[in-house]
Amino acid sequence: MLKRVFKEKPDYAFHLAAHFANQNSVDNPETDLMVNGMGTSKVLEYANLVGVKRFVYSSSGCGVYGLDSKMPFEEHDISISLHTPYQVTKLLGELYTNYFYNLYDLPIVNARFFNVYGPGEVPGKYRNVIPNFFYWAMNKRALPITGDGTETRDWTYVDDIINGLLAMGIKEEAVGEAINLGSGKEHRVIDLANMVNELTDNEAGVIYVERRDWDVKTRLLSSIEKAKKLLNYQPQMEFEDGLKRVHEWFVENWEHITRSAEF
């Protein structure tokens, strides 16, 4: 497949594919390493052979920063004290892109995503909390919160992420850099649950369940000052409005979603 794609000699490569989710990586660490480690290495090799003008790698701001990183997370303050194979292999991907940049002058950019959400993501065992919350709420089930609900996340709307990625593809100042793409705002999980329940008229409320062993970060918040400076990045979507768009998509595509959900 890679040979077929790169035979077309693309000018730009946006490497967004991954073995996704922390729990998935804990359950399947070897697959995670092969896909996120070896897979990224192979894509870089082909991109270098055809001489792409830009290689943008989707890293994880939720992964490469650790408990020893200060908040809001700034790009220089990464951690090697990580808690899941997914976090390890996302950082490994950045090390590989930097290697190709340093040795071969491949023009790379490392994009560190924070909690991306938006229409189009179906719920499932290894999917994100927002589509899962909407699925359970529309089935009139209580929303499970791992922890006490005061945990925060930096949820970032997909359109804002795309704008940041496209800027990374053309801004010369971005080459060789790692750049956070987040909203620069944190929201509590309990507030998310309440908003989802309100949008769906779900009266089942919430339930509190035991925190997962690897889920040790009670807060996530990105610094997006570097993105603003280098990319002119300005997130546009307010969290509440983004959730309304996700709900609208769920309503419009409910039959497809119920067929596709895998728990």
Side-chain angles (χ1 to χ4, degrees), residues 43-236:
V43 177
L44 281 162
E45 287 180 17
Y46 281 104
N48 191 49
L49 284 173
V50 303
V52 297
K53 296 178 181 178
R54 194 67 51 88
F55 185 98
V56 180
Y57 168 65
S58 60
S59 185
S60 171
C62 307
V64 302
Y65 301 109
L67 295 178
D68 51 349
S69 302
K70 296 179 181 179
M71 206 150 2
F73 297 132
E74 297 181 359
E75 287 82 354
H76 64 87
D77 195 18
I78 61 173
S79 175
I80 60 171
S81 179
L82 304 175
H83 291 82
T84 69
Y86 177 77
Q87 295 170 3
V88 171
T89 56
K90 277 299 174 180
L91 182 56
L92 175 62
E94 289 200 29
L95 296 176
Y96 268 117
T97 58
N98 290 339
Y99 155 63
F100 274 82
Y101 173 65
N102 292 328
L103 188 61
Y104 301 113
D105 294 321
L106 184 69
I108 64 94
V109 188
N110 290 319
R112 294 178 181 166
F113 296 169
F114 279 79
N115 302 105
V116 186
Y117 77 101
E121 183 179 9
V122 297
K125 179 180 179 181
Y126 295 125
R127 304 310 303 180
N128 285 316
V129 63
I130 289 179
N132 285 351
F133 269 12
F134 272 109
Y135 179 76
W136 291 320
M138 291 176 69
N139 279 298
K140 306 306 178 186
R141 293 170 53 185
L143 305 184
I145 294 178
T146 56
D148 62 12
T150 62
E151 299 83 1
T152 67
R153 295 295 181 261
D154 186 340
W155 282 292
T156 311
Y157 194 69
V158 63
D159 287 5
D160 290 324
I161 293 288
I162 291 171
N163 288 336
L165 285 171
L166 293 176
M168 288 177 175
I170 60 173
K171 296 285 189 178
E172 289 300 321
E173 300 89 342
V175 173
E177 299 288 344
I179 306 174
N180 291 337
L181 293 181
S183 71
K185 300 176 182 178
E186 57 182 330
H187 296 274
R188 299 191 310 168
V189 175
I190 185 61
D191 295 329
L192 162 67
N194 290 336
M195 284 188 278
V196 170
N197 279 334
E198 183 177 352
L199 284 168
T200 57
D201 296 320
N202 180 31
E203 298 181 356
V206 301
I207 56 173
Y208 294 92
V209 298
E210 187 176 356
R211 191 189 305 275
R212 295 159 293 191
D213 291 341
W214 54 265
D215 192 8
V216 296
K217 298 175 186 176
T218 57
R219 292 181 61 203
L220 289 175
L221 176 62
S222 67
S223 168
I224 56 174
E225 294 308 308
K226 188 174 182 179
K228 289 180 179 178
K229 179 180 178 181
L230 298 184
L231 308 175
N232 195 28
Y233 173 74
Q234 294 288 345
Q236 300 297 312

Side-chain angles (χ1 to χ4, degrees), residues 3-30:
K3 289 181 180 179
R4 186 183 308 167
V5 170
F6 282 97
K7 185 179 180 181
E8 302 297 325
K9 295 185 177 181
D11 291 324
Y12 301 89
F14 291 83
H15 180 35
L16 308 180
H19 185 260
F20 176 79
N22 284 294
Q23 188 62 57
N24 196 7
S25 74
V26 171
D27 294 343
N28 305 283
E30 292 183 2

